[in-house]
Amino acid sequence: MRLGELGLERLHRRLANDGVYVRTGPFVFHIRSPFREVAEALQFGYADCPLAEAGGVADFHVREAPPRNIRRWIRPQAEFTLDGYNPFNPHPRQLIVPFLEWGLNWCIAGYAQQYLMIHSAVLEREGKVLIMPGLPGAGKSTLCAALVLRGWRLFSDEYALIRPEDGEVVPLVRPIRLKNESIDVIRRFAPEATIGLDCDDTFKGTIAQMRPPTEHVLRAGETAPPSWVVFPEYQNGADVQSKRVPRGTALVRLAQNAFNYSLLGQQGFETMARLVERCHCHEFSYSNLDEAIERFERLSRLDWPGGNATAVALPTSSEADVEQETKRRAPLTGRPVDERELLFSALKDPRSVADLDAVGWDLLIRQARATRLLGRLTALVEEHGLLESVPRRIRSHLLAARVVSDKHEQIMRWEVNRTGRVLAELDVPVVLLKGGAYAMADLPAARGRLYSDLDIMVPKSHLALVEQTLIKNGWRTFTLDPYDQRYYRKWMHQLPPLMHGLRGTVLDVHHTILPESGRLHPDPDKLFEAAISLGEGPLKVLAPADMVLHSAAHLFQDGSLAGGLRDLADQDDLLRHFGAEPGFWEALVPRAEELDLARPLFYALRYVKKFLGTPVPERVIAAIRPAGPRWPILPIMDALVSQVIRAEHPDKPVRESTLSGWLLYVRSHWLRMPPLLLAGHLTKKALRRWYERDEEEVEA
Amino acid sequence: MAVDRYMKWNVIDPCDFRWRFWDGQHVVYNPASGDTHLLNPIAGEALQSLQQSPAGVSELAGRVASRLDIPSDRRFLEQVEQLVNELNELGLIESEQP
């Protein structure tokens, strides 16, 4: 069934309730919205798109709806959400249609890493694909619309989706977005074009959508090889000119226009290199649309070599896919999925995912993504040889997550390499902490991991020297506020974060593992003494027991437990890995007592065992039990941790989780500073925020 | 940053560069940094030469000049010196440990 067959009223009702599952190109979007304008926009621009089965599997579950605050009534706003996450600030109600389109683009650019994605208009003629990348204002959408109106098949107005495995371009046929003067240019160029209502006042000016021809939407499953890369540029008064671009330059310009070239790493380079090798690459300047189109017509008739293949009709998607996914689900309809246990089960026993139907998988992917554990889940699925048994649409998300985590690991390893080289000239031990240590020591906790920064620890006595050396070599501090500087240097366990000027990476230089203002004070000298060298050079990692204790201290003593499932999963990994080494378990509790970290270890062992089934020996549990808190703290902690650690259903947020999260946030501050210092700190922060807001208003 | 002319330079370790040579342009992808570099003929030749064997700045200038058939004078030596500095900052080469 096509979306347009629903009719506006039914479409509006469905969008406002369970939503519709729309197939566009290779993606299925589950869209929900109470706004009639959204129904009208979909009815106009997506009428020919097939509808996938309701309640089934989608690549992206999105919602365009009023925010849950007073702005739903006063100067009404709306917000775009993906799985409960808002990538944009709330926007004025009249902009819901452009924001929905931008939101759909954001989903694709952010997550469809199975393709090399180039910001580009894409068209096809006689089985050959033309890719037209261009910055805003280059005129690519205008050219794209005009070429479609002259018989070129629309692939996309926004994205060249290149399949790395064979270099084919995959269509993503959606409405063409015309901006400002282009709207009238196209109306004059082809009065028969179906162009919708203008939407004014967007930050890109006025936008109107041109409906793609029905046949182009129906042929959205037909891929084709690329033959031309043309960089268009509208130049007022210029004659039509076309100039060859050297392939090396073309590759770099395409990479600059790509959403994920860097993310794809070597695969991105090889795919892009193959693309420019098989294409003619040109710059194209024009001012008169008729002349420009005539030139394209002529060029398309010439046998520009490159793509000799003809478009291959693939099974469009879709029906076959849905059918397969439905079949997988059918025998399992009687087995209820415990939504909040789903992710735990998969992490505890990855083989359990083999029993999941596509709908269960759909939820698992969303939960894993929200907790930054999708890469880890992918690694587990691959390790257990289960990847091939995963439904195709789901598998693409796992593979995309692997692309992202591989890139994160590459960046982390390079950062360790660069930092290690700079600090090698000093005679100072440098201990890698957390993710950097897991990666460089090749520990299981590095599997599929997402990294945000590199953490190192150096002796406090050498802190100034290390900081100077780093700054001399391109790092700079970006916490410039004098209060923050003082706060870090006096009370924290690290310097203010440093950022590398060229690479943009963040480095945290610690001198111990917990804030100096906090209640627990592990002796850093003992950590340095036991640290293990990574070979030649100054780099070390913490000893196994210390690594576990640091992770436990970070989660239960220094943090609010927001996003804590990932840290708990680290602890599970570390304990399973080191637990197999002789003497580890015997040394763990005495070491925790020696380092003043028995309480965090108590919590860590309690909760990894409870939630992830970590095989902690009973004798270790018994040994750490005296370090636990007194009644009623423990049952309260159990209740709070249980709420924040469990992954929610993204469409059904649990109110208790929010409250628990807030209470644990308060707890984390309580543990970080003595009450008087905390009161002073919070007052200072509040006053500064108030002062800054005042200044902003004056400037405005 | 000034380059010590007597220091020997080598490509980074491990080095797994991916190369393309089109239309007189070298394109090199460095998997360690994830960066792609578009190099002119002199830079491309210099990096390829260091990939074959380490060299000091003077020796490198001689090798590149001979390969591209250009005079290896003082100006060219300074040019190669600056190039070595840039390749080092980009993380493509590093000085050999003494």
Side-chain angles (χ1 to χ4, degrees):
Chain A
M1 184 181 194
R2 294 192 216 163
L3 182 141
E5 292 170 39
L6 277 178
L8 183 60
E9 293 308 323
R10 264 176 78 198
L11 176 60
H12 184 204
R13 275 200 304 276
R14 277 179 63 169
L15 282 166
N17 292 302
D18 294 335
V20 292
Y21 287 71
V22 188
R23 194 178 298 276
T24 173
F27 308 112
V28 172
F29 283 95
H30 174 208
I31 304 174
R32 293 185 299 151
S33 177
F35 297 124
R36 190 176 178 84
E37 295 95 315
V38 169
E40 288 168 351
L42 292 177
Q43 181 77 11
F44 174 79
Y46 294 80
D48 296 314
C49 291
L51 286 177
E53 186 187 345
V57 178
D59 293 290
F60 307 105
H61 299 259
V62 303
R63 188 156 185 258
E64 179 71 30
R68 290 182 198 164
N69 59 30
I70 199 165
R71 295 301 294 268
R72 60 169 55 211
W73 293 291
I74 300 170
R75 292 174 65 194
Q77 287 186 324
E79 62 185 2
F80 176 88
T81 54
L82 167 70
D83 289 342
Y85 171 70
N86 309 106
F88 317 120
N89 288 329
H91 47 267
R93 167 84 191 263
Q94 68 269 23
L95 298 183
I96 52 180
V97 173
F99 264 90
L100 176 66
E101 286 290 331
W102 286 322
L104 302 186
N105 286 340
W106 180 87
C107 292
I108 295 168
Y111 295 103
Q113 313 304 345
Q114 64 271 40
Y115 302 105
L116 172 62
M117 293 181 276
I118 303 169
H119 185 215
S120 166
V122 188
L123 300 117
E124 177 263 341
R125 190 92 187 236
E126 295 176 19
K128 297 172 187 170
V129 167
L130 161 67
I131 295 175
M132 275 198 300
L135 295 171
K140 69 179 168 53
S141 291
T142 318
L143 274 176
C144 176
L147 287 167
V148 167
L149 292 162
R150 288 289 182 272
W152 290 63
R153 176 159 71 107
L154 176 68
F155 262 44
S156 174
D157 171 37
E158 288 281 347
Y159 285 89
L161 301 178
I162 321 277
R163 263 195 326 228
E165 53 268 35
D166 57 8
E168 289 275 305
V169 189
V170 177
L172 175 60
V173 186
R174 288 167 53 197
I176 298 174
R177 281 189 308 161
L178 299 168
K179 293 177 267 309
N180 303 317
E181 294 83 12
S182 298
I183 301 167
D184 285 335
V185 168
I186 292 299
R187 281 185 174 134
R188 281 196 301 273
F189 179 80
E192 74 279 11
T194 314
I195 298 176
L197 294 174
D198 297 357
C199 179
D200 299 325
D201 297 332
T202 79
F203 65 87
K204 291 192 172 190
T206 303
I207 289 180
Q209 297 193 336
M210 183 178 121
R211 178 190 280 171
T214 298
E215 188 215 343
H216 299 196
V217 179
L218 298 180
R219 293 180 62 196
E222 296 178 27
T223 65
S227 289
W228 306 298
V229 172
V230 175
F231 299 95
E233 189 181 5
Y234 175 82
Q235 286 180 354
N236 201 10
D239 290 334
V240 171
Q241 276 190 338
S242 170
K243 193 174 115 196
R244 199 172 152 268
V245 177
R247 287 197 162 89
T249 308
L251 184 143
V252 171
R253 288 177 67 175
L254 282 165
Q256 287 166 345
N257 280 284
F259 293 100
N260 62 343
Y261 169 77
S262 172
L263 198 60
L264 291 180
Q266 190 166 318
Q267 188 186 48
F269 173 72
E270 299 293 349
T271 307
M272 200 68 100
R274 193 162 46 162
L275 173 69
V276 297
E277 273 165 357
R278 69 198 294 182
C279 285
H280 277 264
C281 305
H282 285 251
E283 286 174 340
F284 184 84
S285 54
Y286 75 101
S287 60
N288 181 297
L289 195 54
D290 287 302
E291 288 174 13
I293 298 306
E294 196 268 326
R295 177 67 68 95
F296 271 99
E297 291 287 314
R298 234 172 42 218
L299 291 174
S300 78
R301 283 194 295 273
L302 293 174
D303 185 22
W304 276 10
N308 296 320
T310 49
V312 179
L314 294 179
T316 53
S317 48
S318 352
E319 287 74 22
D321 208 13
V322 170
E323 195 186 339
Q324 189 200 2
E325 286 166 3
T326 310
K327 273 182 189 159
R328 287 184 60 83
R329 187 166 59 249
L332 294 162
T333 45
R335 179 175 162 274
V337 172
D338 186 341
E339 290 166 353
R340 297 201 70 188
E341 293 293 331
L342 191 57
L343 187 54
F344 285 149
S345 303
L347 295 174
K348 251 192 289 199
D349 179 13
R351 282 163 300 195
S352 69
V353 301
D355 295 335
L356 281 180
D357 60 341
V359 175
W361 261 114
D362 185 85
L363 177 58
L364 179 60
I365 293 279
R366 298 170 73 189
Q367 290 181 332
R369 189 183 281 151
T371 48
R372 290 169 66 86
L373 283 165
L374 188 54
R376 180 191 170 90
L377 179 67
T378 305
L380 290 173
V381 167
E382 286 188 293
E383 273 171 29
H384 286 79
L386 297 165
L387 194 59
E388 290 307 311
S389 66
V390 176
R392 193 164 63 88
R393 185 167 296 283
I394 300 295
R395 192 160 65 231
S396 67
H397 286 276
L398 296 179
L399 294 175
R402 187 175 67 189
V403 166
V404 176
S405 59
D406 284 352
K407 180 65 184 176
H408 275 235
E409 182 172 348
Q410 175 259 309
I411 292 174
M412 172 55 75
R413 286 181 178 277
W414 183 240
E415 211 46 41
V416 170
N417 174 296
R418 296 291 91 186
T419 310
R421 278 190 72 78
V422 165
L423 297 181
E425 61 188 61
L426 313 175
D427 188 21
V428 175
V430 178
V431 177
L432 300 172
L433 299 175
K434 299 189 264 190
Y438 306 155
M440 299 314 288
D442 288 323
L443 293 175
R447 291 173 300 189
R449 188 180 185 84
L450 301 183
Y451 302 85
S452 50
D453 53 20
L454 171 62
D455 297 273
I456 60 172
M457 183 171 73
V458 298
K460 195 172 184 182
S461 53
H462 292 80
L463 206 52
L465 176 66
V466 168
E467 187 179 15
Q468 283 162 17
T469 307
L470 290 168
I471 286 174
K472 199 176 85 185
N473 283 278
W475 278 266
R476 52 190 162 76
T477 177
F478 60 94
T479 310
L480 296 174
D481 180 270
Y483 175 76
D484 282 346
Q485 286 278 349
R486 210 169 51 244
Y487 169 78
Y488 268 102
R489 290 172 194 278
K490 189 165 181 187
W491 301 114
M492 286 296 101
H493 47 314
Q494 63 173 88
L495 291 173
L498 296 166
M499 180 181 276
H500 193 272
L502 282 179
R503 299 192 293 276
T505 43
V506 176
L507 174 66
D508 284 342
V509 183
H510 301 245
H511 53 84
T512 182
I513 57 172
L514 282 176
E516 299 214 303
S517 57
R519 294 167 186 228
L520 303 183
H521 298 95
D523 180 354
D525 289 342
K526 291 181 177 164
L527 298 172
F528 282 109
E529 275 166 30
I532 296 168
S533 177
L534 282 174
E536 289 177 13
L539 299 181
K540 297 177 175 222
V541 293
L542 292 173
D546 295 357
M547 210 181 268
V548 171
L549 291 169
H550 178 214
S551 178
H554 179 68
L555 180 60
F556 293 106
Q557 195 69 23
D558 188 29
S560 64
L561 277 90
L565 182 54
R566 193 187 76 150
D567 287 322
L568 209 61
D570 284 346
Q571 288 152 32
D572 172 59
D573 265 335
L574 294 172
L575 289 166
R576 286 177 194 265
H577 180 76
F578 292 131
E581 292 182 2
F584 170 79
W585 289 114
E586 286 67 27
L588 184 60
V589 174
R591 182 66 170 170
E593 286 162 351
E594 185 186 356
L595 288 172
D596 197 15
L597 295 174
R599 177 67 63 84
L601 180 65
F602 169 83
Y603 284 130
L605 296 181
R606 181 176 182 85
Y607 296 126
V608 286
K609 191 171 163 64
K610 178 173 179 184
F611 295 117
L612 299 175
T614 315
V616 183
E618 277 309 317
R619 64 182 190 283
V620 179
I621 297 284
I624 198 67
R625 192 167 291 130
R630 290 188 188 163
W631 193 90
I633 303 293
L634 187 56
I636 293 174
M637 271 298 278
D638 282 351
L640 297 180
V641 172
S642 176
Q643 281 297 335
V644 297
I645 287 289
R646 282 171 205 274
E648 293 186 346
H649 190 301
D651 300 333
K652 305 169 193 168
V654 180
R655 199 178 291 259
E656 290 79 4
S657 297
T658 315
L659 177 63
S660 303
W662 184 78
L663 290 171
L664 287 167
Y665 176 76
V666 172
R667 171 187 176 269
S668 72
H669 274 74
W670 180 252
L671 295 177
R672 260 184 172 213
M673 295 179 203
L676 209 58
L677 181 63
L678 179 61
H681 176 66
L682 293 179
T683 309
K684 195 100 184 171
K685 286 266 187 194
L687 283 175
R688 194 175 66 179
R689 208 169 296 143
W690 182 263
Y691 178 72
E692 280 169 0
R693 205 178 57 181
D694 252 16
E695 273 194 338
E696 276 168 21
E697 280 174 9
V698 168
E699 279 172 23
Chain B
M1 193 171 82
V3 168
D4 181 347
R5 284 189 186 176
Y6 301 101
M7 193 179 265
K8 275 211 163 189
W9 294 90
N10 200 352
V11 288
I12 53 157
D13 178 31
C15 167
D16 194 16
F17 296 154
R18 292 285 181 268
W19 288 89
R20 290 292 189 283
F21 180 72
W22 298 306
D23 314 315
Q25 295 176 320
H26 294 262
V27 182
V28 61
Y29 172 75
N30 178 5
S33 66
D35 293 333
T36 305
H37 306 274
L38 179 62
L39 305 178
N40 64 26
I42 294 176
E45 283 300 334
L47 188 60
Q48 282 195 327
S49 176
L50 290 177
Q51 197 168 5
Q52 280 156 19
S53 63
V57 171
S58 308
E59 186 189 345
L60 182 64
R63 284 193 212 166
V64 175
S66 149
R67 183 109 172 100
L68 296 178
D69 200 16
I70 48 178
S72 177
D73 52 18
R74 198 169 66 86
R75 210 170 140 200
F76 185 65
L77 187 66
E78 284 170 5
Q79 201 182 335
V80 172
E81 198 174 275
Q82 173 154 5
L83 173 67
V84 164
N85 192 21
E86 284 174 23
L87 295 177
N88 178 36
E89 283 184 357
L90 291 171
L92 291 166
I93 63 172
E94 57 198 18
S95 58
E96 284 210 317
Q97 300 294 337

